[in-house]
């Protein structure tokens, strides 16, 4: 009896029956079986964490681990070089300075999740701050109304870019590159011949980055609220999973996570109270991060964004309105660019011709990527913007303390960005090898 050598070399998928050949046996052999981490922790306790960690490392699912380790290394190096780096004043200044760029980066995260790019955010941020300054200073509008108009205009600009991309089919790169130039010109036109409009440092925009809650109860109270909300949401989420009959985290796991969050939150509160108090800018930024994270992870709209980043055609066949989602994402990007522009204007108490220029665009995109958002779409969280911008601003402040020249700052930031992109590319290849992508 003869045996077909070709068929004899075909391996079978375990558990799939004898009629399911594996096309790529090498990939199948290297595949790492994914087990719900909640189930691992429930069955194995602390050992489950280690088991899940090893599985993620083999599968290339590094998450935010590289940037967290990188941030820790940055802090250690600069603290050794200058003992003022981790002082309460310097950390407070870092967390306030990062908000403007961080807000813009949050919008960039939404666009990157689609696998696209928005090069116009720097110019849009400058145009929005210039518009708000003209309306308040030159036209005498109430600041709160000027702020709302500036944000609405930023969102409308983003939606316009999305229209050209999603409806007319123009590449997002080309559309937003044109937007970068057009809105830069618009900003210069709005500012007029003087090129600078000074803002009232005691006004609404001015207080965005200067106001602090000096009462020590404010910082500790916010820490209590954050920890309580986290515990309650985690506890109720686990209860719903138990009722539904799906794996859930044990109560001990929820308590452990809550304790770790409490340590970080109260340490931050203590640090702020050692200087001027809790900055308003930081509170607003954290509120936006929590809100956008909820939208992305807990709503059908967020799932549609991730689906589009994975496969546009599959999303279209699943009934997702691809055009509407794309336009809305670019509108979100424009809106957050406007918000970031207002914070940047608040930092210098003016709107001028340099707004939105320089390395702002590069830093906003780099923050999202360094924080862990994939350039290839479909993977990322808005919290990545926080981690990434912390890395960038920490490097800038650390080098400034050491009086390092500006060119070196650019080179170091570029090296960090390149390292992150390389890690992202290697991670994707590892996931494909492990059968996870």
């Amino acid at each position: 009896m003869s045996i077909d050598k070709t068929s004899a070399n075909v391996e079978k998928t375990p558990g799939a029956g004898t009629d399911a050949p594996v096309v790529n046996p090498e990939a199948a052999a290297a595949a790492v079986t994914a087990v719900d981490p909640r189930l691992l922790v429930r069955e194995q306790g602390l050992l489950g964490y280690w088991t899940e960690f090893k599985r993620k490392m083999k599968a290339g699912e590094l998450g935010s681990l590289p940037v967290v380790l990188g941030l820790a290394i940055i802090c250690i190096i600069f603290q050794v070089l200058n003992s003022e780096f981790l002082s309460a004043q310097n950390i407070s200044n870092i967390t306030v300075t990062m908000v403007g760029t961080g807000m813009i980066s949050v919008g960039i995260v939404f666009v990157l999740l689609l696998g696209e790019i928005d090069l116009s955010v720097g110019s849009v941020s400058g145009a929005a701050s210039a518009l708000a300054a003209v309306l308040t200073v030159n036209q005498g509008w109430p600041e709160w109304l000027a702020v709302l108009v500036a944000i609405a205009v930023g969102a409308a600009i983003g939606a316009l870019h999305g229209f050209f991309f999603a409806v007319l089919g123009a590449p997002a790169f080309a559309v937003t590159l044109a937007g970068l130039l057009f809105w830069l010109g618009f900003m210069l036109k709005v500012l007029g011949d003087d090129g600078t409009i000074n803002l009232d440092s005691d006004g609404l925009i001015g207080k965005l980055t200067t106001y602090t809650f000096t009462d020590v109860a404010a910082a500790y109270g916010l820490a209590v609220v954050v920890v309580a909300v986290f515990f309650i949401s985690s506890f109720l989420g686990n209860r719903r999973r138990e009722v539904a009959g799906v794996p859930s985290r044990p109560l001990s796991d929820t308590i452990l996570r809550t304790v770790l969050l409490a340590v970080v939150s109260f340490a931050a509160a203590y640090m702020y109270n050692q200087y001027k108090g809790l900055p308003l800018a930081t509170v607003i930024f954290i509120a936006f991060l929590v809100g956008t994270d909820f939208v992305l992870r807990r709503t059908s709209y967020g799932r549609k964004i991730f689906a589009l980043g994975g496969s546009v055609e599959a999303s279209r066949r699943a009934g997702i309105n691809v055009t509407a989602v794309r336009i809305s994402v670019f509108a979100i990007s424009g809106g957050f660019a406007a918000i970031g522009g207002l914070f940047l204007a608040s930092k210098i108490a003016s709107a001028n011709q340099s707004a939105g220029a320089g390395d702002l665009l590069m830093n906003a995109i780099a923050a999202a990527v360094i924080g862990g958002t994939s350039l290839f779409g479909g993977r990322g969280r808005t919290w990545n913007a926080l981690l990434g911008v912390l890395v960038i601003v920490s490097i800038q402040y650390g080098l400034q303390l050491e009086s390092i020249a500006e060119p070196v700052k650019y080179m170091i930031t570029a090296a960090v960005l390149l390292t992150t992109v390389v890690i992202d590319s290697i991670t994707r290849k590892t996931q494909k090898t492990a059968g996870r992508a």
Side-chain angles (χ1 to χ4, degrees):
M1 181 176 64
S2 62
I3 300 176
D4 188 344
K5 295 181 180 181
T6 302
S7 60
N9 291 330
V10 175
E11 299 184 17
K12 308 295 183 180
T13 304
T18 57
D19 296 328
V22 176
V23 179
N24 190 344
E26 290 79 8
V32 181
T33 303
V35 180
D36 195 306
R38 303 175 185 87
L39 193 58
L40 277 174
V41 173
R42 183 173 290 280
E43 293 181 350
Q44 302 180 15
L46 293 177
L47 181 61
Y49 285 109
W50 177 245
T51 302
E52 177 64 6
F53 176 77
K54 291 191 295 182
R55 184 198 69 79
K56 286 185 175 182
M57 292 300 100
K58 291 180 181 179
E61 299 176 20
L62 301 179
S64 299
L65 179 61
V67 68
V68 171
L69 293 177
L71 184 60
I73 293 173
I74 290 170
C75 291
I76 292 172
I77 291 175
F78 284 123
Q79 178 65 16
V80 170
L81 294 175
N82 193 316
S83 60
E84 292 297 315
F85 182 77
L86 291 180
S87 65
Q89 178 179 352
N90 195 56
I91 294 178
S92 180
N93 290 337
I94 287 175
T95 56
V96 171
T97 301
M98 73 178 186
V99 174
T101 304
M103 286 290 191
I104 300 174
S105 186
V106 169
I108 289 291
V109 168
F110 277 80
V111 177
L112 290 179
L113 288 175
L114 295 182
E116 302 295 340
I117 194 67
D118 188 349
L119 301 178
S120 69
V121 289
S123 296
V124 173
S125 69
S129 64
L131 180 61
V134 168
L135 292 178
T136 56
V137 178
N138 295 352
Q139 303 299 325
W141 286 31
E143 278 198 86
W144 66 268
L145 182 57
V147 167
L148 292 179
V149 170
I151 296 174
V153 169
I157 291 173
L160 179 63
H161 295 162
F163 172 81
F164 282 106
F165 165 59
V167 178
L168 301 184
F173 179 90
V175 170
T176 56
L177 179 59
L180 181 154
L181 298 174
F182 183 88
W183 301 115
L184 175 60
F186 174 82
M187 178 190 70
L188 299 178
K189 181 68 175 178
V190 168
L191 290 174
D193 296 333
D194 292 337
T196 300
I197 299 178
N198 294 321
L199 298 169
D200 181 8
S201 59
D202 293 326
L204 174 61
I205 298 177
K207 288 185 176 180
L208 287 176
T209 56
T210 59
Y211 185 82
T212 56
F213 299 96
T214 55
D215 192 333
V216 295
Y220 289 122
L222 179 62
V224 170
V225 170
V226 169
V227 173
V229 169
F230 176 81
F231 176 79
I232 293 173
S233 61
S234 299
F235 179 78
L236 295 179
N238 287 331
R239 289 292 299 271
R240 287 194 297 269
R241 296 183 68 87
E242 290 176 0
V243 172
V246 294
S248 61
R249 297 187 185 278
L251 181 60
S252 59
D253 178 71
T254 301
I255 293 176
L256 176 61
R257 290 169 176 265
T258 304
V259 170
L260 293 176
L261 178 61
V263 171
V264 174
S265 299
F266 281 95
Y270 174 80
M271 180 274 301
Y272 282 127
N273 285 331
Q274 297 307 300
Y275 184 47
K276 291 182 178 180
L278 178 65
L280 173 63
T282 304
V283 175
I284 296 175
F285 189 35
I286 296 298
F288 272 108
L289 288 174
V290 172
T292 51
D293 182 69
F294 177 84
V295 169
L296 284 177
R297 297 196 305 118
R298 302 293 185 181
T299 66
S300 60
Y301 174 72
R303 288 190 288 272
K304 291 175 182 177
I305 294 176
F306 280 105
L308 277 178
S311 174
V312 175
E313 185 58 32
S315 301
R316 182 178 289 110
R317 294 184 179 184
I320 296 176
N321 189 333
V322 174
T323 300
V325 173
R326 282 175 163 175
I327 292 176
S328 65
V329 165
F330 276 88
I332 290 172
S333 178
F336 272 98
I339 296 172
L342 294 173
F343 275 92
L344 293 172
S346 172
K347 187 67 177 175
I348 59 176
S350 68
N352 56 42
Q353 294 178 342
S354 64
D359 59 355
L360 177 60
L361 173 63
M362 181 271 291
N363 284 340
I365 297 176
V369 177
I370 290 173
T373 303
S374 175
L375 282 169
F376 304 98
R379 189 176 78 246
R381 297 178 61 181
T382 51
W383 290 99
N384 297 148
L386 170 63
L387 292 174
V389 77
L390 265 176
V391 169
I392 292 175
V393 177
S394 295
I395 291 175
Q396 293 174 344
Y397 267 72
L399 295 177
Q400 184 176 330
L401 287 174
E402 293 302 305
S403 301
I404 303 297
E406 193 71 21
V408 178
K409 296 180 183 179
Y410 284 112
M411 290 187 287
I412 292 179
T413 304
V416 173
L417 175 59
L418 178 60
T419 302
T420 305
V421 173
V422 170
I423 292 175
D424 185 31
S425 299
I426 294 175
T427 296
R428 287 178 62 85
K429 290 181 181 180
T430 304
Q431 288 177 344
K432 288 181 179 180
T433 302
R436 297 287 294 158

